[in-house]
Amino acid sequence: MWSDRHFNREMERVEREKKQCDREKELFDKRLEVKMVKKSMRTFKFPTTTKIIMAFLLANCSAVEVYSMVVMWKLQNLDALYSLITAVITESISFAVYAAKSYNETKQEEIIKLERDKMSMEEAAVDNSEEEEPELNPEEAMG
């Protein structure tokens, strides 16, 4: 059936395949590790939609303000003052809404963080009380 020579060749082939699989696994693990390190090193965070809208609104209102001032200066006519006032009011309202929204988001995050800290402190207190042996009160021992 199987000669020693044929058996040895087959074993060598199996060993080569095993080594190749091990090399591929190591390479895969290294690539995965590099990918994870690169992902953790990313410092750019895409701005939220609210920030993008706020920036667009501020840029748009600023452009209207500049245009209105240039028109009033060049034409010596105050009709463009209506658009200037509207742009300023829009900027003010949008900033107030954005500030209120940010305040509420931050407040919610802090509440969640405080609740999580409180729960972890309670768990630590329970763990410590289980580890300590209860002390006997001398009055209770006598009575």
Side-chain angles (χ1 to χ4, degrees), residues 92-127:
S92 302
I93 291 173
S94 64
F95 180 74
V97 168
Y98 178 75
K101 180 186 172 297
S102 296
Y103 172 76
N104 288 333
E105 285 180 355
T106 306
K107 183 178 171 185
Q108 283 292 66
E109 290 172 3
E110 290 298 319
I111 289 172
I112 291 170
K113 191 185 298 181
L114 287 173
E115 288 176 357
R116 185 175 50 227
D117 291 344
K118 183 179 176 183
M119 287 176 52
S120 65
M121 289 174 72
E122 289 174 356
E123 289 175 3
V126 169
D127 290 343

Side-chain angles (χ1 to χ4, degrees), residues 44-78:
F44 176 75
K45 289 185 178 178
F46 195 76
T48 60
T49 307
T50 309
K51 288 182 182 176
I52 293 172
I53 292 171
M54 182 70 178
F56 174 76
L57 194 59
L58 288 175
N60 194 17
C61 288
S62 297
V64 169
E65 290 170 0
V66 169
Y67 178 76
S68 299
M69 286 188 267
V70 169
V71 166
M72 285 189 299
W73 180 55
K74 290 284 185 181
L75 299 178
Q76 298 294 319
N77 188 352
L78 295 179

Side-chain angles (χ1 to χ4, degrees), residues 6 49 52 85 125 127 129-130:
H6 184 39
T49 307
I52 293 172
I85 292 171
D127 290 343
S129 66
E130 290 174 356

